[in-house]
Amino acid sequence: MSATNITSLLAKTKDFSLEETLTFLANEYKDKVVFSTSFGQEDQVITDFIAKNNIEITIFTLDTGRLFQETYDVFHRTLKKYKKHIEVYFPEAIAVENLLKVKGPNSFYESVENRKECCFIRKVVPLRKALAGNAVWITGLRAEQSENRNDLQLFGYDANFEIIKFNPLLKWSLQEVEDYLQEHSVPQNALHKKGFVSIGCAPCTRAILPDEDIRAGRWWWESSHKECGLHSAKKE
């Protein structure tokens, strides 16, 4: 994948609406476009666009085995509302069993290395399986979510997973996301009303205070860059 391909996509879609761009990708890369959802607010916006417009894009999610019940609740309500299948990918059982046998269930609190190991087993490996053989990966990333995401473009090439990445909500504000969800009656995670903005695994997510950064509730005991390896800027 060269920079020319990304430049071409940016040029072809520069005047398209979000719906038009999703439809274009579904036609241009037939049966090779996937969208990863964790049922957060941004992901729910994209799910709504895909489902209500019957766009042929596969939706999938990663079940780490440590999710909040509220996340499963919004997953269930999303299935009921849109009647659209969502693929589910799990971590390899043997890897999780070995991790807990050797380091216990809460090793991620002990070091950044341990936390990244847990994320790798529960998220990165299943994601590789979900993305394999596909051409375009759609995400709900927004630039204002963290400093690491400020230099992203609508289209880019992810060298870690060797796939084109499309970030349709990149320039949306949180207020725009919330307004869309309200206007279109899109199912939301109940934790959002309790101060949870970015929601991941239950042991690694807390509510944030009014003056805190949007990612402060993720791995709050760390001073790292607050990423789990799914959207790393460099090839690992």
Side-chain angles (χ1 to χ4, degrees):
M1 173 60 61
S2 67
T4 304
N5 298 96
I6 301 301
T7 301
S8 175
L9 280 173
L10 289 167
K12 288 178 179 178
T13 62
K14 67 182 180 69
D15 296 320
F16 286 1
S17 66
L18 194 158
E19 178 189 340
E20 289 170 335
T21 304
L22 291 172
T23 301
F24 166 79
L25 292 173
N27 292 330
E28 187 81 358
Y29 301 95
K30 190 170 180 60
D31 299 325
K32 291 185 177 296
V33 183
V34 293
F35 165 53
S36 58
T37 179
S38 60
F39 305 100
Q41 291 172 301
E42 294 81 9
D43 294 337
Q44 290 298 90
V45 169
I46 299 171
T47 294
D48 187 71
F49 269 98
I50 292 172
K52 74 183 183 183
N53 293 296
N54 296 312
I55 302 172
E56 291 299 315
I57 290 173
T58 297
I59 302 176
F60 74 86
T61 192
L62 307 178
D63 187 337
T64 64
R66 302 297 296 261
L67 302 180
F68 287 96
Q69 179 58 43
E70 288 87 346
T71 300
Y72 292 113
D73 291 342
V74 74
F75 182 176
H76 189 74
R77 287 189 286 118
T78 300
L79 291 173
K80 292 291 186 181
K81 178 178 176 65
Y82 299 110
K83 305 295 191 296
K84 183 173 177 63
H85 179 70
I86 297 175
E87 299 280 351
V88 183
Y89 291 85
F90 295 90
E92 296 294 331
I94 187 83
V96 176
E97 290 169 2
N98 287 338
L99 176 64
L100 269 64
K101 180 166 60 178
V102 173
K103 295 186 175 181
N106 294 324
S107 61
F108 43 81
Y109 290 132
E110 297 172 356
S111 69
V112 174
E113 291 72 25
N114 278 357
R115 194 270 294 169
K116 288 186 176 180
E117 178 185 25
C118 187
C119 286
F120 183 81
I121 291 170
R122 295 181 184 274
K123 295 182 179 181
V124 177
V125 173
L127 179 62
R128 284 179 177 167
K129 184 177 179 181
L131 296 180
N134 289 294
V136 180
W137 171 23
I138 300 169
T139 84
L141 297 180
R142 290 189 300 107
E144 71 174 22
Q145 287 173 325
S146 73
E147 292 181 6
N148 300 341
R149 300 173 182 182
N150 283 331
D151 59 352
L152 292 175
Q153 297 188 76
L154 285 175
F155 285 98
Y157 181 69
D158 191 304
N160 275 324
F161 300 100
E162 300 180 333
I163 195 169
I164 297 169
K165 185 184 283 186
F166 175 44
N167 311 303
L169 303 188
L170 188 65
K171 301 303 182 182
W172 284 44
S173 68
L174 179 58
Q175 188 62 57
E176 287 176 308
V177 170
E178 291 177 340
D179 289 346
Y180 182 94
L181 295 171
Q182 182 69 28
E183 180 181 350
H184 297 275
S185 301
V186 180
Q188 293 189 58
N189 194 317
L191 292 174
H192 291 307
K193 293 184 178 180
K194 299 179 180 180
F196 290 77
V197 181
S198 176
I199 302 172
C201 292
C204 302
T205 308
R206 66 161 172 81
I208 65 171
L209 300 174
D211 59 342
E212 283 188 307
D213 179 81
I214 199 169
R215 296 280 287 179
R218 302 293 293 278
W219 312 295
W220 67 90
W221 63 92
E222 293 182 8
S223 58
S224 69
H225 291 298
K226 305 289 188 177
E227 297 289 356
C228 61
L230 299 189
H231 301 291
S232 177
K234 64 181 180 179
K235 188 175 179 65
E236 297 180 343

